[in-house]
Amino acid sequence: MAVADVFVDLRSDTVTRPTPGMREAMATADVGDDVYGEDPTVNALEAEVAALFGHEAALFAPSGSMANQIALQLVVPPGDELLCDADAHVVTYEIGAAAAYGGISSRTWSPVGADIDPDVVAAMVRPEGYHAVPTRAIAVEQTHNRGGGGVIPLATLRELRRIADDAGVALHCDGARIWHAHVADGVPLAGYGALFDTLSVCLSKGLGAPVGSLVVGSADKIARARVLCKRMGGGMRQAGILAAAGRYALAHHVDRLAADHAKAARLAEAIAPFGVLATTVRTNLVPLDLTKAPLDAQALAAAARAEGVLVSVLGPRTARLVTHLDVDDAGIDRAIEVLTRVLRG
């Protein structure tokens, strides 16, 4: 089936296409050479995002993976240790970059999505000495991708901040979908920002921009981040065309995430009777556990695709549905019709 024939694409919120208003903003963007620090639209985006999270500075980077890896290199020296969960994006989907680029050793707690037990994390922190690799940072993911879009409670994050402070280590947030957490729980972005030494935030997941993420932190950290970004091939020239899409997304597409959450909840309600819903749906991700289903993830995806609905396959018996800007109510209706028929067998 050609892409043009697809009725509804639920694989990811990265498949969105710029809206007419966003395209207009991109076409009329004021630009300059960003490597020289002379792109006014990039500079404005960086200042805006830093202010939203209550930090001194931010850096516009081409991708979320690059933003994460830059941030990790800011807080973990080569040969030292990062703690995160075993399903974290930074160790699952970033192709070993922490080790390959940063020389970072990673150790993980069992995957629990957003349901982190701070006591488990505290017990894992290794101080210097004892002939062991010292822990330098803890990373969490808000919202949690493989945790079904779960939102880490503010109380948990505050406790992790206390643990990090007591141990003298940094706390990093992979905030690719932190906008969804902000909308779902009502926590101000600056409230999240105050808890972390570094954050990465994505403009192309949920917000509908075609590309781009930002590293957020102190002025000193972001000055170092610019060097790391250039070293990793992230130096861009007239990047204001891309930054303009991000600024448009921040102005127009954050509050509307509530509609995506409602659509995901509608999908989840329709699928729940089939016993494949993996967890409570809080945001725009609907995880499917097909362990007890008559068909596996590949079979589900193939059957749905044959009727114009695309589903993401995350494992042999794990699939995912994601609502986003380009899926309207009619698309949800069609997805429910197709998926319930397929699951019914």
Side-chain angles (χ1 to χ4, degrees):
M1 178 176 295
V3 173
D5 298 327
V6 172
F7 189 89
V8 55
D9 191 341
L10 296 173
R11 290 173 299 172
S12 176
D13 47 9
T14 62
V15 302
T16 58
R17 299 179 184 183
T19 62
M22 184 178 287
R23 289 179 186 270
E24 176 66 17
M26 296 170 73
T28 59
D30 190 10
V31 299
D33 192 319
D34 184 47
V35 171
Y36 288 113
E38 296 175 355
D39 190 301
T41 307
V42 171
N43 293 342
L45 173 65
E46 291 174 342
E48 180 180 357
V49 171
L52 283 174
F53 288 93
H55 276 264
E56 292 179 328
L59 166 72
F60 185 48
S63 73
S65 291
M66 183 179 285
N68 266 332
Q69 294 306 320
I70 290 169
L72 294 183
Q73 290 178 59
L74 292 175
V75 294
V76 185
D80 289 353
E81 181 179 79
L82 171 74
L83 296 182
C84 62
D85 80 273
D87 270 349
H89 195 282
V90 294
V91 293
T92 302
Y93 292 121
E94 298 184 10
I95 321 297
Y101 291 115
I104 295 170
S105 177
S106 301
R107 193 157 49 93
T108 61
W109 60 82
S110 297
V112 290
D115 299 324
I116 301 168
D117 183 344
D119 290 338
V120 170
V121 179
M124 292 179 67
V125 176
R126 287 173 173 164
E128 291 192 74
Y130 306 102
H131 305 286
V133 178
T135 303
R136 299 299 186 192
I138 300 164
V140 297
E141 191 173 326
Q142 182 76 312
T143 65
H144 199 291
N145 179 12
R146 288 186 66 87
V151 181
I152 305 171
L154 187 60
T156 300
L157 295 176
R158 286 173 172 161
E159 183 62 13
L160 290 173
R161 177 72 265 174
R162 184 195 65 77
I163 291 165
D165 287 342
D166 288 350
V169 304
L171 188 62
H172 169 67
C173 178
D174 174 357
R177 294 184 176 91
I178 200 166
W179 324 101
H180 296 80
H182 160 64
V183 169
D185 274 8
V187 176
L189 295 173
Y192 282 132
L195 296 171
F196 297 101
D197 299 282
T198 55
L199 303 94
S200 67
V201 297
C202 189
L203 303 171
S204 64
K205 291 186 176 73
L207 295 192
V211 67
S213 290
L214 292 102
V215 185
V216 183
S218 67
D220 286 348
K221 282 186 172 62
I222 298 306
R224 289 176 52 212
R226 294 190 186 281
V227 176
L228 294 170
C229 186
K230 188 69 162 61
R231 180 179 295 157
M232 295 170 71
M236 297 183 285
R237 300 300 179 177
Q238 288 70 38
I241 293 172
L242 301 175
R247 296 196 73 199
Y248 184 93
L250 290 174
H252 297 279
H253 293 170
V254 175
D255 290 342
R256 66 150 305 281
L257 293 175
D260 292 342
H261 297 176
K263 292 183 179 77
R266 195 150 68 86
L267 272 172
E269 182 180 7
I271 290 166
F274 297 93
V276 298
L277 195 63
T279 188
T280 302
V281 171
R282 291 287 322 281
T283 55
N284 68 321
L285 307 187
V286 182
L288 305 182
D289 178 1
L290 301 168
T291 304
K292 298 180 180 179
L295 72 177
D296 63 16
Q298 291 287 359
L300 171 71
R305 174 181 279 270
E307 299 196 50
V309 176
L310 299 188
V311 174
S312 182
V313 175
L314 301 185
R317 289 277 174 177
T318 305
R320 186 188 68 179
L321 315 173
V322 186
T323 56
H324 52 77
L325 181 67
D326 285 5
V327 178
D328 59 13
D329 287 325
I332 297 298
D333 291 340
R334 175 62 178 168
I336 289 172
E337 176 190 345
V338 169
L339 292 168
T340 53
R341 183 164 62 248
V342 170
L343 288 167
R344 204 175 278 124

